[in-house]
Amino acid sequence: AQSVSQHNHHVILSEAASLELGCNYSYGGTVNLFWYVQYPGQHLQLLLKYFSGDPLVKGIKGFEAEFIKSKFSFNLRKPSVQWSDTAEYFCAVNAGAGNMLTFGGGTRLMVKP
Amino acid sequence: DSGVTQTPKHLITATGQRVTLRCSPRSGDLSVYWYQQSLDQGLQFLIHYYNGEERAKGNILERFSAQQFPDLHSELNLSSLELGDSALYFCASSATTHSGGTPEAFFGQGTRLTVV
């Protein structure tokens, strides 16, 4: 069965700092990869996704992620975070049979103004 | 607004009771997924329906069941509730077919269930 690991459970940054959140998955075949964001009290929103092609994908709000197949990783990055980026971030994988998502445990990001 | 509507937003009920959570997918989406988000288990996939048929089951307890109706809305039924069932239950919909397609899911706001 596929699994997703997010190693950083809590991250605290100051505004303008750079962000990188790690995501590793375990599945040997073709995968579709996603990052979702959950702002306080809100639903999950898609930040970006990777299906195929260029392994560097750009999403909304200045986020990007890089798929490194050899490392089974799909890390999320943002060059300069803002206070409004305070949220919980989830990495997810869709692989194999079925279209359900397997989520990582989430990373809570707090950006200090 | 994702286009996915879940009701109710909050639900408080006693142990042993039964509740029904409702989800209306985005217009045109045939797939509905249910997820449970709890502090100890994180976000877990429960069940997937496509055009009225069950397609996949995840970590769904036997006390839980779901269905998708001809108008494509879905209901998640939770019975014999226990304290540990307290969680946020999300519904998501997508335009995927049962055999593939673009599996981008759009999530509703969730139903927060508190069992007391």
Side-chain angles (χ1 to χ4, degrees), chain A residues 57-77:
Chain A
V57 292
K58 295 192 183 297
I60 61 172
K61 306 186 181 190
F63 286 91
E64 65 178 32
E66 184 176 12
F67 170 53
I68 303 180
K69 188 174 181 179
S70 61
K71 294 185 178 180
F72 298 90
S73 70
F74 189 55
N75 292 352
L76 181 71
R77 299 194 292 247

Side-chain angles (χ1 to χ4, degrees), chain B residues 4-43:
Chain B
V4 179
T5 304
Q6 288 188 248
T7 55
K9 290 187 178 178
H10 302 277
L11 197 50
I12 301 175
T13 190
T15 54
Q17 294 298 305
R18 172 190 169 96
V19 296
T20 298
L21 313 183
R22 182 188 169 102
C23 170
S24 294
R26 290 188 322 154
S27 177
D29 283 357
L30 299 179
S31 277
V32 170
Y33 309 81
W34 285 97
Y35 292 85
Q36 179 194 58
Q37 186 180 28
S38 61
L39 286 175
D40 54 343
Q41 299 288 332
L43 257 169

